[in-house]
Amino acid sequence: MKKRRCGIFISVAISCLVLVVFFGEVIRNPDAVYFANSGDGFKAYFTALYHVQHDTSCNVSSAMNYPFGELYAFTDGQPLVVNTIRFISRYAPGITSHTIGIINLLMLFSVVLGALFIYLILAESGAGGVLPAVAAAGIAVLSPQVARMGGHFSLAWGCWIPMMAWLLILFEKKRKLLLSLLIGAVLLLSGMMHFYFIGLLG
């Protein structure tokens, strides 16, 4: 157990260090940095900001497909994150001005979560310790999903696939109702980020 805790700490620490080195500007000033200033990335920022500030429904965005609006999940606007911001803004209205920063930081934090779950997968196979922890961090930061930060933000979350893989490994070892519910919850939550995850993970 001590070896596993040490490995978790190392994988999280290394992935955080890599993010600070390569994305330090974003971490220091997340509201002022755009991962993309054109194309799909800029559209994702726009739909998120518009949804937070102007839409009256959590499911429909009036920012496009005038006059009928568009199902918000199809706008690539990270419905789970943005609708959570909308809910919190009822009690803390100032949070809406930090929507871009929240999106940016959560995308980066998902890489750290990805490293954590990759390490847990390696530990379940019996490979614990320092080397697997370093490998887990390396796999997470070199994941193809990191490249999605250039435009497809909903797909940039590097934690969903390793999280689901780890839960499935645990479920194979011991079939419990709680694990089934967690697997269903991960499928639902990831699908609320982007429908592709339902196909990928389902």
Side-chain angles (χ1 to χ4, degrees), residues 47-198:
T47 55
L49 286 170
Y50 190 94
H51 193 60
V52 162
Q53 295 175 0
H54 302 292
D55 284 333
T56 55
S57 166
C58 63
N59 293 322
V60 178
S61 173
S62 57
M64 53 183 69
N65 199 18
Y66 179 82
F68 306 106
E70 181 67 78
L71 187 63
Y72 186 65
F74 291 154
T75 67
D76 195 29
Q78 304 186 58
L80 180 63
V81 172
V82 175
N83 281 320
T84 302
I85 294 170
R86 287 181 74 230
F87 176 77
I88 294 171
S89 71
R90 295 177 187 173
Y91 309 100
I95 195 173
T96 58
S97 63
H98 300 291
T99 301
I100 300 294
I102 293 168
I103 288 171
N104 288 343
L105 290 176
L106 286 176
M107 282 193 297
L108 292 177
F109 181 66
S110 76
V111 175
V112 177
L113 279 179
L116 167 68
F117 285 107
I118 292 168
Y119 176 76
L120 290 173
I121 290 168
L122 294 173
E124 284 299 322
S125 68
V130 176
L131 188 58
V134 173
I139 291 167
V141 298
L142 294 174
S143 164
Q145 288 180 268
V146 173
R148 296 294 87 221
M149 289 183 192
H152 301 112
F153 302 148
S154 299
L155 295 173
W157 286 58
C159 60
W160 296 119
I161 294 172
M163 188 186 307
M164 180 64 89
W166 178 67
L167 287 171
L168 289 173
I169 290 168
L170 294 182
F171 186 76
E172 271 303 308
K173 290 186 173 183
K174 196 174 278 189
R175 295 173 185 255
K176 290 184 175 179
L177 178 61
L178 177 61
L179 287 172
S180 293
L181 293 173
L182 286 173
I183 288 167
V186 168
L187 186 60
L188 176 68
L189 293 174
S190 64
M192 290 171 69
M193 290 298 293
H194 200 292
F195 283 140
Y196 283 1
F197 283 118
I198 292 177

